[in-house]
Amino acid sequence: INTCMATYKSKPQTIGRSAEELFDRFSDLSRLQTSLDALTEEQRAKVGDVQFTADSIRIVTPQVGEIAFTVIDRQRPTKVVFGTQSSPVPMTMDVEITPLGADSSEVATAINVEIPAMLRPLIGPQLQKATDKFGELIAGLSH
């Protein structure tokens, strides 16, 4: 089967924290779980089934099922790379942090996935939606 690498990027979100401070929040992902647990029931329903541990993120979606991401690379202070443990296709997710100033940064997520070319039109829009949603989640929990 002819597979090709595809990249789906979220819209950048501006966060009122330095790149170092933001990066530190990703050095122990269980801190994000604390922010997630503090959300109201309604906000939590929008986020869906997401769980954080110190080094991993587990996401359950109706379209894809369960995907678990584990930190495989950290490049202080601009990037955290996650790899999948239980994905049907090879996939990584990057959290990219761009310093904008002493107390401001931009954060965006990118999903890199190897999928058969013929499935791209079917899977691509779902992956873009997931990337956008995850970018919003990360931004929301980073404040």
Side-chain angles (χ1 to χ4, degrees):
I1 295 176
N2 183 13
T3 63
C4 56
M5 185 60 74
T7 300
Y8 300 92
K9 288 188 106 161
S10 70
K11 292 179 203 76
Q13 307 268 340
T14 302
I15 310 292
R17 295 181 185 270
S18 71
E20 288 78 10
E21 199 179 341
L22 209 48
F23 182 89
D24 289 344
R25 288 186 72 88
F26 289 100
S27 64
D28 179 356
L29 296 172
S30 58
R31 293 181 193 165
L32 296 176
Q33 184 66 44
T34 306
S35 299
L36 194 61
D37 292 342
L39 295 176
T40 66
E41 203 58 45
E42 185 182 321
Q43 291 169 316
R44 186 68 204 236
K46 284 183 189 170
V47 168
D49 190 355
V50 179
Q51 291 180 317
F52 296 96
T53 66
D55 279 329
S56 70
I57 302 168
R58 190 181 68 78
I59 303 167
V60 180
T61 66
Q63 302 90 345
V64 184
E66 179 178 317
I67 300 176
F69 289 100
T70 304
V71 175
I72 56 173
D73 187 25
R74 288 185 171 100
Q75 298 168 21
R76 184 174 178 83
T78 58
K79 190 181 227 177
V80 180
V81 180
F82 298 88
T84 55
Q85 300 167 315
S86 60
S87 169
V89 292
M91 183 181 338
T92 61
M93 180 173 59
D94 303 349
V95 175
E96 300 165 352
I97 302 166
T98 307
L100 298 176
D103 57 2
S104 183
S105 306
E106 219 172 55
V107 66
T109 56
I111 291 180
N112 304 295
V113 61
E114 210 161 295
I115 52 177
M118 65 185 194
L119 290 180
R120 256 178 117 163
L122 300 171
I123 298 172
Q126 296 300 327
L127 284 170
Q128 184 61 57
K129 202 181 296 180
T131 305
D132 289 339
K133 194 169 185 172
F134 193 73
E136 290 169 18
L137 170 69
I138 292 296
L141 295 178
S142 298
H143 286 286

